[in-house]
Amino acid sequence: MMDAKTAILARARDAISRSQAGRPVREIPRDYIRVGRHAPGSEPVVADMIEKLEDYSAQVVTAAADDAVAEEIDRFLTQAGASSVVVPSGLPQAYKEAAARGGRSVREDSREAPIPTLELDAIDAVVTCSRVSISMSGTICLDGESDQGRRAITLVPDTHVVVIERESIMPTVPQAVDVLGCHPERPTTWIAGGSATSDIELVRVNGVHGPRNLRVVIAH
């Protein structure tokens, strides 16, 4: 009886020899990619995204217009008790103004004028946009553009309020990767709920390697 390693190598050699000999190789099933099942941003896709995010302890709301999005940003920051906020330089002006409501201090960050990490650590929250999302896993992807900012600003503050466009919510990972693949030179950050980890006894600790709280506004 051959061991597992020997069996795997034998199957690999067999597959290579079949390919080189021109013999048919069994097609790899890819049923998990059902691009035509639901369109990006459709009701089932958005509902699936919300369900997955809430399962990760994120809070999610939908907003139908820019002023409604701004209201939700303000509400989330107020609920978090944030008195200071960092925003990327390219964030829409209405969102910046929402972050500054109630006397909150707002600092802009950019690659040209980055805020030092130790100073970021003293800031309560961050507000950004996003590039694309994946409903099947509840994942939000940032690609470092000016409305999303440097990775550091989305990892250090305790609360992250992120705006995602409904049409950018993809059902599957391959669809999202296609979007990100249009600009492979951009650094990407993939977020699935607030930062958390657990030890072997399943004791959960939040905010280990990123924001403790994730707040999501889905813009229609």
Side-chain angles (χ1 to χ4, degrees):
M1 178 181 295
M2 66 178 68
D3 58 25
K5 179 180 178 181
T6 303
I8 291 170
L9 292 175
R11 291 180 64 182
R13 283 192 294 269
D14 181 60
I16 292 172
S17 64
R18 287 190 183 189
S19 176
Q20 291 174 342
R23 286 181 286 176
V25 177
R26 182 174 61 88
E27 183 177 355
I28 299 174
R30 300 193 184 276
D31 294 340
Y32 64 91
I33 304 178
R34 298 177 181 176
V35 176
R37 185 178 60 176
H38 296 303
S42 61
E43 288 292 343
V45 170
V46 173
D48 190 34
M49 184 73 184
I50 293 174
E51 180 183 355
K52 297 294 172 48
L53 285 170
E54 290 180 340
D55 191 49
Y56 295 143
S57 300
Q59 293 184 21
V60 189
V61 295
T62 59
D66 282 349
D67 56 346
V69 172
E71 290 292 334
E72 296 298 343
I73 290 172
D74 177 34
R75 185 174 66 84
F76 275 145
L77 292 173
T78 300
Q79 287 180 348
S83 61
S84 56
V85 184
V86 58
V87 298
S89 59
L91 192 72
Q93 186 61 31
Y95 301 171
K96 292 180 182 178
E97 292 173 358
R101 292 180 189 176
R104 286 183 290 262
S105 65
V106 176
R107 295 185 63 179
E108 287 192 16
D109 182 272
S110 67
R111 293 188 184 90
E112 296 72 27
I115 299 173
T117 303
L118 289 178
E119 294 181 28
L120 281 175
D121 191 41
I123 296 176
D124 298 323
V126 57
V127 179
T128 74
C129 292
S130 59
R131 177 60 57 223
V132 68
S133 301
I134 307 161
S135 68
M136 72 179 297
S137 60
T139 304
I140 301 169
C141 303
L142 315 180
D143 68 0
E145 282 299 278
S146 62
D147 61 345
Q148 299 152 69
R150 297 183 304 126
R151 181 174 294 167
I153 70 172
T154 62
L155 294 178
V156 180
D158 202 49
T159 296
H160 185 181
V161 180
V162 58
V163 179
I164 63 179
E165 297 294 332
R166 180 189 182 106
E167 294 74 15
S168 72
I169 304 176
M170 302 293 161
T172 68
V173 173
Q175 288 170 282
V177 170
D178 283 344
V179 174
L180 296 172
C182 293
H183 295 281
E185 75 283 0
R186 296 176 183 173
T188 59
T189 303
W190 295 46
I191 303 166
S195 167
T197 190
S198 60
D199 59 21
I200 195 171
E201 296 178 345
L202 300 182
V203 176
R204 182 183 175 95
V205 179
N206 294 330
V208 177
H209 42 67
R212 189 187 313 271
N213 307 306
L214 180 65
R215 305 292 182 257
V216 181
V217 183
I218 299 177
H220 287 238

